[in-house]
Amino acid sequence: MATKEGATTRIQRRTPRIAADHPHYKWVALSNTTLGMLIATINSSIVLISLPAIFNGIRLDPLQPGNVSYLLWMLMGYMLVTAVLVVTLGRLGDMLGRVKIYNAGFLIFTVTSVILSVDPMHGGGGALWLIGWRVAQAVGGSMLMANSAAIITDAFPAKQRGMALGVNMVAGIAGSFIGLVLGGLLAEWNWRSIFWVNVPIGLIGTVWAYRSLHDTGVRRPAKMDWWGNITFAVGLTALLAGITYGIQPYGGHTMGWTNPWVLAGLIGGPATLLVFCLVESRVAEPMFPLKLFRNAAFAGGNAATLLGSIARGGLQFMLIIWLQGIWLPLHGYDYANTPLWAGIYLLPLTVGFLAAGPIAGYLSDRYGARLFASAGFVVMAASFGGLLLLPTDFSYWLFALVVFLNGLGGGLFAAPNTSIIMASVPAEARGAASGMRATFQNAGMVLSIGVFFSLMVAGLAGSLPHTLSSGLMAQGVPAANAHQVAALPPVGTLFAAFLGYNPIQQLLGPDLLGKLAPANAHTLTGREFFPHLISGPFHDGLVVVFGLAIVMSLVAAGASLIRGRRSTSTQN
């Protein structure tokens, strides 16, 4: 009898506290998936602002020509893998169970965070350790991203779905903003802490997910579409890598668009994606049912997601360069402290997003999602216009107001747009649809690196060489040396500003600096010379960058208004 009672007690302990049909289960699902999305997206940006501390920690100079590839892969590796895998893992969730894939993602993410934090090497080896395990961590992050929206859609009735997806999406996109602040704070203490912080959160989330979540959605057993998965992964990786590597100098050019490997990616990537479309149209059980794009609302919602993600990613990069490379040094901040203060000064962006996101999700359930999604992009376009009007050495309160407005626009758009996408697909395709939405979002972030950095480099190339050479000669640098430094590719200057470095001392070298008058040498290596030097050319580049962001935001606003048929399967 005692044995029987003991067995019953053990079974009860294994049983989740809230059953799937319990009225409160939907809130458990929302809470856990929101935590999963938050931790996954924080890690897409926490490294972004912590790169100076990371490279100092592993004793690697990121501005050396041979180390630029390490810098690029640290930036884009995580985002590239999530962009490539989320559709596959969303489809796998449809086949095997969304909760099963999601739970495994939490576990992988937590374990790889521990491994990243104990990087035992320095130099190139230390960088490769971080890049490799960040790729593995991105697999876990992809599992979380691909299935969280589908789990919520399964758990909530249609009348509350917009609110629930809104909370989840706000956590997801806000994570990319929160990561900037958190990374700045943690990197100031110890660069390894940006990975340590994941461990307790990941452990709690993993145990909670395994104990609490249930597969309540429609599971559709099917065979894996291997050719579809391979062609999609190869095509998208080649395209995104080609665009990203295009910003590196090649063959005497300021950028690498004539590099054969870049051209191979730019041509071969889309060609392979075309093969993917042909494969998907002919196999019986495709990785992604392309027929979903026949629904105008689904196609328009994903187009808006892509454009919004590119614009938002470009904004993050440009604001970090603006603050770390120019504004903060001009206002007396040491270069070593600029990552921390850049994160703090970007808080209004996060606050705006957090303020608008949940409210937009709630109101879109009552009044319709399209108007809110479109209005959010119009507000974002207005904020990009406001940034164009600001001088390079701006008044902070005006800057804070404009970036708050940008965050507000992003918050208005995020949840309603997700609701539009998820409401337009049948229940059995929710995992694949959620994965495709995440693919467009993550691919947009990777594309923003190539697109906006290329535009900024193009803007700098016109005016930076003359500005740099004349500024150096004014401080006594011989004309030959000044012209030699000015002829270097502007991407190096851009990366220096992005990382919060003052590259003048490195570019001139100790021998040349030692021959100059002490006052001139002090000016050249001080806090203000480099920011003053690049502020004019940088603003020229900003005009091009934010001009394109305005166009993208307005096109996305139009795409959000497209109407299509609403899936009858989403009304449950």
Side-chain angles (χ1 to χ4, degrees):
M1 185 70 176
T3 304
K4 184 176 180 180
E5 288 177 354
T8 303
T9 301
R10 286 194 297 272
I11 292 171
Q12 288 174 343
R13 286 175 181 168
R14 295 192 199 105
T15 304
R17 295 176 184 173
I18 299 180
D21 57 354
H22 193 283
H24 293 164
Y25 171 71
K26 58 188 177 184
W27 303 112
V28 173
L30 176 61
S31 301
N32 190 275
T33 54
T34 297
L35 180 65
M37 280 294 290
L38 186 65
I39 194 173
T41 54
I42 280 176
N43 273 270
S44 66
S45 62
I46 196 170
V47 168
L48 191 69
I49 205 161
S50 307
L51 282 172
I54 291 173
F55 280 109
N56 284 334
I58 62 175
R59 303 171 198 167
L60 185 72
D61 181 1
L63 300 183
Q64 289 290 336
N67 295 339
V68 171
S69 292
Y70 294 134
L71 174 63
L72 283 174
W73 277 103
M74 285 292 291
L75 278 175
M76 77 171 191
Y78 184 90
M79 292 183 282
L80 177 61
V81 172
T82 54
V84 168
L85 289 184
V86 283
V87 174
T88 299
L89 294 169
R91 174 64 172 150
L92 204 62
D94 288 339
M95 294 165 52
L96 304 178
R98 291 153 194 165
V99 168
K100 184 181 295 185
I101 303 300
Y102 175 88
N103 291 351
F106 237 137
L107 181 61
I108 292 171
F109 194 93
T110 305
V111 170
T112 51
S113 295
V114 175
I115 297 172
L116 281 161
S117 69
V118 296
D119 185 351
M121 292 181 279
H122 297 100
L128 289 174
W129 176 284
L130 294 176
I131 291 167
W133 285 108
R134 281 276 287 172
V135 167
Q137 186 183 52
V139 176
S142 300
M143 291 177 169
L144 297 174
M145 293 180 191
N147 292 282
S148 61
I151 291 170
I152 290 172
T153 306
D154 290 338
F156 277 83
K159 64 181 180 180
Q160 292 181 310
R161 200 167 287 149
M163 176 277 301
L165 289 169
V167 171
N168 188 259
M169 282 306 301
V170 165
I173 298 178
S176 63
F177 298 140
I178 293 170
L180 298 177
V181 180
L182 191 60
L185 291 170
L186 293 175
E188 185 78 3
W189 173 45
N190 188 307
W191 70 269
R192 297 180 190 270
S193 64
I194 68 171
F195 303 116
W196 293 338
V197 72
N198 296 326
V199 178
I201 300 172
L203 287 172
I204 292 169
T206 302
V207 174
W208 183 16
Y210 273 98
R211 282 178 57 85
S212 303
L213 296 182
H214 305 269
D215 263 313
T216 60
V218 177
R219 187 182 299 185
R220 185 178 167 185
K223 294 180 180 179
M224 179 61 73
D225 173 20
W226 290 110
W227 282 113
N229 280 275
I230 292 170
T231 51
F232 181 78
V234 171
L236 189 59
T237 300
L239 175 62
L240 296 179
I243 290 173
T244 304
Y245 272 99
I247 66 177
Q248 290 194 62
Y250 176 78
H253 300 286
T254 56
M255 287 184 282
W257 301 114
T258 57
N259 186 329
W261 288 107
V262 171
L263 291 173
L266 296 178
I267 297 170
T272 307
L273 289 175
L274 181 60
V275 173
F276 163 75
C277 293
L278 293 174
V279 169
E280 297 302 275
S281 65
R282 297 188 179 188
V283 297
E285 297 174 339
M287 162 191 159
F288 184 81
L290 294 178
K291 63 183 179 181
L292 293 179
F293 282 102
R294 297 173 189 167
N295 188 321
F298 181 82
N302 279 296
T305 297
L306 177 65
L307 292 170
S309 183
I310 295 174
R312 188 172 59 252
L315 175 76
Q316 286 186 1
F317 291 123
M318 294 305 110
L319 292 186
I320 290 172
I321 293 171
W322 200 344
L323 289 171
Q324 291 190 183
I326 299 174
W327 193 85
L328 286 167
L330 287 178
H331 287 257
Y333 292 86
D334 290 330
Y335 279 95
N337 298 326
T338 55
L340 168 64
W341 286 102
I344 291 172
Y345 280 125
L346 285 175
L347 271 174
L349 185 68
T350 306
V351 171
F353 191 89
L354 292 175
I359 296 173
Y362 172 75
L363 292 178
S364 68
D365 284 333
R366 301 187 63 182
Y367 302 109
R370 286 178 178 78
L371 182 61
F372 285 94
S374 184
F377 276 116
V378 173
V379 172
M380 285 180 67
S383 70
F384 284 122
L387 288 168
L388 278 178
L389 297 176
L390 289 178
T392 310
D393 189 9
F394 50 77
S395 167
Y396 176 70
W397 297 110
L398 283 174
F399 174 83
L401 179 63
V402 174
V403 297
F404 173 81
L405 191 65
N406 189 280
L408 205 68
L412 286 174
F413 149 74
N417 181 72
T418 304
S419 184
I420 290 169
I421 293 172
M422 298 306 291
S424 64
V425 300
E428 67 274 10
R430 285 173 183 163
S434 176
M436 183 58 74
R437 179 200 57 77
T439 289
F440 280 113
Q441 180 174 306
N442 296 334
M445 293 295 290
V446 181
L447 282 169
S448 69
I449 297 176
V451 171
F452 285 99
F453 269 64
S454 296
L455 290 173
M456 180 56 74
V457 169
L460 290 174
S463 53
L464 182 62
H466 173 73
T467 304
L468 189 56
S469 61
S470 60
L472 291 173
M473 286 189 290
Q475 295 298 324
V477 176
N481 298 102
H483 291 312
Q484 182 180 3
V485 170
L488 294 174
V491 69
T493 304
L494 191 63
F495 278 147
F498 177 69
L499 294 169
Y501 279 84
N502 182 351
I504 298 298
Q505 185 168 355
Q506 179 178 318
L507 290 174
L508 296 179
D511 293 338
L512 181 56
L513 285 171
K515 296 175 183 177
L516 301 178
N520 289 339
H522 178 73
T523 298
L524 287 170
T525 56
R527 281 196 297 257
E528 296 187 4
F529 178 78
F530 178 63
H532 273 306
L533 195 69
I534 68 169
S535 60
F538 178 76
H539 194 270
D540 294 340
L542 278 185
V543 172
V544 179
V545 167
F546 287 150
L548 179 62
I550 291 171
V551 173
M552 286 183 172
S553 299
L554 293 176
V555 172
S560 297
L561 292 173
I562 296 174
R563 292 184 176 274
R565 61 186 182 277
R566 186 178 178 87
S567 173
T568 56
S569 301
T570 63
Q571 303 298 325
N572 51 33

